[in-house]
Amino acid sequence: MASQTEIARSVVEKIDGFSFERFHEDDEEAVLNMIAEGFSSREPLTTNMSVPFEAFRDSFVKEVVKKALSDNLSLVIRDSATNMVMGALLNEDFHDTISQESEDGTVSHPVTPILELLGALDEIIVKDCFPNLKERQVFHAFMGTTQKGYEGRGLAKKLRAVTAKFAKTQGFDYLVVEPTNPITLIIWKKLGAEVVATIHAPDFKCADGSAPFAGTQIKDVHAVRLDLNAVEL
């Protein structure tokens, strides 16, 4: 029988001493700082733009975390031995993603060029895969990371596998994600996802005409789709 603590945390699955749970407001600060640190120091697009940790956290990640709590579709990894959150994947309904992108066209963030690039990928996804996109049809895995020092334990792969199963239980038919880290792209492919959109980053131009990724080591950026009803999860 589940304990009262587990019920409050909405445990989704337990694997190898780690608990995969719905993101709860008690973990908001930990997840906020972990996501901001992971992206500002280890995610290729964000590090390429040299976005400072605090600016990234306070002007952008904080908004994403608040929405994730409201949507109740995001997951965290908790170390059962220490009770500490060691990973998180912030998710949303892809229908909300597209609606928000159209509304936020004039909103400026330190990572606006990245958001414009991802938005261009999303336009391709909708055009080629979901021209009649409906609510709660496509699950969007948006921002994920593991705690620094916990790399190499397979947690990133486990988190994404659990997320895919969770998305299916929530009634979604597909999962989409823009894995900007090459390692994350490999993980999603191993889970059965296929590349459905690609943009050559150095050639990408923002709405203001700038080419922020020209001359960098960043090359192709992809979006992938996972058919949740066609793969064994």
Side-chain angles (χ1 to χ4, degrees):
M1 181 178 293
S3 69
Q4 290 301 312
T5 300
E6 288 175 346
I7 292 172
R9 289 178 178 163
S10 297
V11 175
V12 174
E13 192 167 342
K14 287 187 171 185
I15 305 174
D16 300 332
F18 292 93
S19 177
F20 295 77
E21 311 166 2
R22 284 188 189 247
F23 179 27
H24 188 273
E25 61 183 3
D26 289 349
D27 299 314
E28 180 176 357
E29 192 68 18
V31 169
L32 172 63
N33 287 313
M34 181 172 55
I35 291 285
E37 186 281 326
F39 273 72
S40 62
S41 67
R42 288 173 276 155
E43 190 278 318
L45 295 179
T46 312
T47 55
N48 172 75
M49 298 192 65
S50 301
V51 180
F53 166 78
E54 290 187 358
F56 183 53
R57 180 191 63 192
D58 297 338
S59 67
F60 178 66
V61 182
K62 189 172 289 187
E63 295 177 13
V64 177
V65 168
K66 289 289 186 185
K67 184 177 186 302
L69 280 170
S70 175
D71 290 349
N72 200 28
L73 291 173
S74 299
L75 300 180
V76 302
I77 311 172
R78 189 180 305 280
D79 187 331
S80 298
T82 65
N83 203 36
M84 301 293 290
V85 172
M86 294 301 160
L89 185 52
L90 305 183
N91 311 304
E92 62 185 350
D93 187 335
F94 191 53
H95 187 275
D96 291 349
T97 306
I98 300 304
S99 299
Q100 193 66 37
E101 285 173 350
S102 63
E103 293 173 4
D104 285 353
T106 59
V107 177
S108 180
H109 292 287
V111 291
T112 292
I114 298 174
L115 298 181
E116 289 192 23
L117 174 60
L118 299 184
L121 282 171
D122 293 343
E123 288 179 6
I124 297 172
I125 296 173
V126 173
K127 176 178 176 293
D128 293 348
C129 303
F130 307 107
N132 300 307
L133 181 65
K134 302 178 180 64
E135 291 184 5
R136 298 193 76 82
Q137 176 190 17
V138 183
F139 189 94
H140 184 212
F142 183 45
M143 298 183 77
T145 192
T146 52
Q147 187 70 265
K148 189 175 182 180
Y150 271 70
E151 305 94 335
R153 301 192 186 191
L155 292 179
K157 183 177 181 180
K158 291 184 176 77
L159 177 57
R160 282 152 184 83
V162 171
T163 295
K165 288 190 285 185
F166 173 71
K168 187 173 182 178
T169 67
Q170 298 304 300
F172 290 87
D173 294 317
Y174 297 91
L175 182 152
V176 297
V177 58
E178 308 89 349
T180 53
N181 190 309
I183 296 175
T184 310
L185 175 61
I186 292 171
I187 290 173
W188 282 113
K189 283 184 173 181
K190 286 183 176 179
L191 291 173
E194 60 176 342
V195 174
V196 292
T198 300
I199 291 177
H200 189 59
D203 296 338
F204 178 75
K205 290 188 177 180
C206 293
D208 63 3
S210 64
F213 308 109
T216 69
Q217 294 184 349
I218 298 169
K219 302 304 178 186
D220 291 339
V221 181
H222 308 281
V224 301
R225 177 187 65 177
L226 180 64
D227 186 337
L228 299 172
N229 298 308
V231 295
E232 185 176 348
L233 299 171

